[in-house]
C-alpha cells in the first residue's frame, strides 16, 4: 500500500517527487570574511546611530560644564581682587558726628588704612571707639574701592550731676560723657534720689528728652525723689514745673508749651502739668 501523504520531517517528505530534478547546488557559499565584514558594518552603523541620538545630550553637558567653570573662575577672580590691595582702605569717613571731633575718631581708626575692605577687623574698630563715650552705637559700611564709612549715633546729654570728681555730663542711661570742674553750660543740674541707677533717674531722663528745645533751654535744674515727683526749675524766673511721673510726657510737653505761651514764666510761680487734662497755673 502506498501512503497518500507524508508528515513533515519524515523521510518521505524529503524525497524528490518523481519526475522533478534535484535542486541545484550553491555555487557561491558565504565566506567567513564576509560575515565578519557585515558584522563590523552593523556595529559601525549602530555606533553612528547612538552618536546621533546622544549628540544633543553631549552638547548640553558641555554647555553646563562651561557655565560652571566660568562661574567658578569669576568667583575666584572676584575674591582674589577683593582681598587684594586693589580694595584696601584709603579713606575713613565719619557720618553722624555732631558733638564728636571727627578728626579724633578718624585718627583712632587710622590702623585700618591699608587693610582690604573685607578684612576690616570689627573688634579693633570697637576697641578704638570705646574711647569715645559720646558714641551710643555705630555701624560700618564698606564702599569700594577704598572707602570705609562709620555711621555714628551719638548719646544725647540730659544734664549734669555733681560728683566728687566734679560735674559729670550724663545721658538718659546715666552714662558719663565728660567731667569738668564747672557745670556744662546749657545743661540742667540733676538732683535725683538714688543716683543714675534709680528708677527716679530713668523718669527724669524720659521727661527731659520729651521737652521741646524752646522749653529745655530754660530749664536750669531738675529734682526727683521718686519716679512720680519730677520737678523742673526755670532760670531767669522763680517759676517751677511740677511734672509728676514720666507718663504722657509728650502730651504734657504740648500742654506746657501752650500754657507758657499764654502766661510767660515771669508772671507765674508754678506750672502743674502732673494731670495734663487739668493743668494748674498759679
Amino acid at each position: 500500500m502506498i501512503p497518500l501523504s507524508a508528515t513533515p520531517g519524515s523521510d518521505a517528505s524529503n524525497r524528490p517527487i518523481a519526475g522533478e530534478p534535484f535542486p541545484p547546488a550553491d555555487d557561491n557559499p558565504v565566506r567567513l570574511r564576509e560575515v565578519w565584514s557585515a558584522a563590523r558594518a552593523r556595529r559601525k552603523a549602530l555606533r553612528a546611530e547612538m552618536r546621533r541620538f546622544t549628540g544633543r545630550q553631549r552638547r548640553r553637558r558641555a554647555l553646563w560644564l562651561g557655565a560652571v567653570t566660568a562661574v567658578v573662575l569669576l568667583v575666584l577672580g572676584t575674591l582674589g581682587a577683593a582681598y587684594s590691595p586693589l580694595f584696601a582702605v584709603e579713606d575713613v569717613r565719619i557720618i553722624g558726628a555732631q558733638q564728636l571731633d571727627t578728626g579724633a575718631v578718624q585718627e583712632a581708626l587710622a590702623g585700618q588704612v591699608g587693610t582690604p575692605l573685607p578684612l576690616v577687623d570689627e573688634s579693633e574698630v570697637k576697641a578704638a571707639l570705646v574711647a569715645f563715650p559720646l558714641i551710643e552705637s555705630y555701624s560700618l559700611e564698606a564702599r569700594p574701592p577704598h572707602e570705609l564709612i562709620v555711621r555714628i549715633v551719638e548719646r544725647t546729654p540730659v544734664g549734669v550731676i555733681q560728683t566728687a570728681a566734679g560735674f559729670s555730663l550724663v545721658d538718659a542711661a546715666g552714662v558719663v560723657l565728660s567731667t569738668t570742674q564747672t557745670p556744662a553750660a546749657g545743661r540742667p543740674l540733676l538732683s535725683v534720689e538714688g543716683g543714675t541707677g534709680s528708677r527716679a533717674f530713668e523718669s527724669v531722663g524720659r521727661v527731659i528728652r520729651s521737652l521741646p528745645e524752646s522749653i529745655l533751654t530754660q530749664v536750669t535744674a531738675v529734682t526727683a525723689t521718686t519716679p512720680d515727683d519730677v520737678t523742673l526749675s526755670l532760670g531767669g524766673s522763680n517759676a517751677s514745673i511740677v511734672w509728676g511721673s514720666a507718663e504722657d510726657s509728650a502730651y504734657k510737653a504740648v500742654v506746657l508749651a501752650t500754657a507758657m505761651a499764654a502766661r510767660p514764666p515771669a508772671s507765674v510761680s508754678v506750672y502743674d502739668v502732673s494731670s495734663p487734662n487739668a493743668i494748674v497755673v498759679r
Side-chain angles (χ1 to χ4, degrees), residues 12 40 43 58 64 82 117 154 180 194 210 219 240 243 255 271:
R40 283 198 301 270
R43 286 196 299 270
R58 289 196 306 274
W64 184 83
L117 287 171
E154 293 181 339
T180 57
S210 71
V219 178
S240 62
W243 198 273
V255 172
Y271 298 97

Side-chain angles (χ1 to χ4, degrees), residues 117-193:
L117 287 171
L119 296 180
V120 170
D121 193 334
E122 294 191 15
S123 61
E124 290 183 3
V125 173
K126 182 178 180 179
L129 296 182
V130 164
F132 300 90
L134 270 174
I135 297 178
E136 181 173 358
S137 62
Y138 68 91
S139 61
L140 301 179
E141 177 185 339
R143 184 170 293 179
H146 303 297
E147 191 173 40
L148 177 65
I149 297 177
V150 184
R151 298 186 184 275
I152 289 176
V153 176
E154 293 181 339
R155 296 184 183 275
T156 303
V158 295
V160 176
I161 58 173
Q162 189 171 7
T163 65
F167 294 89
S168 297
L169 185 66
V170 296
D171 72 347
V175 176
V176 176
L177 308 181
S178 63
T179 300
T180 57
Q181 295 304 310
T182 57
R187 303 295 179 184
L189 182 64
L190 310 180
S191 299
V192 182
E193 188 76 23

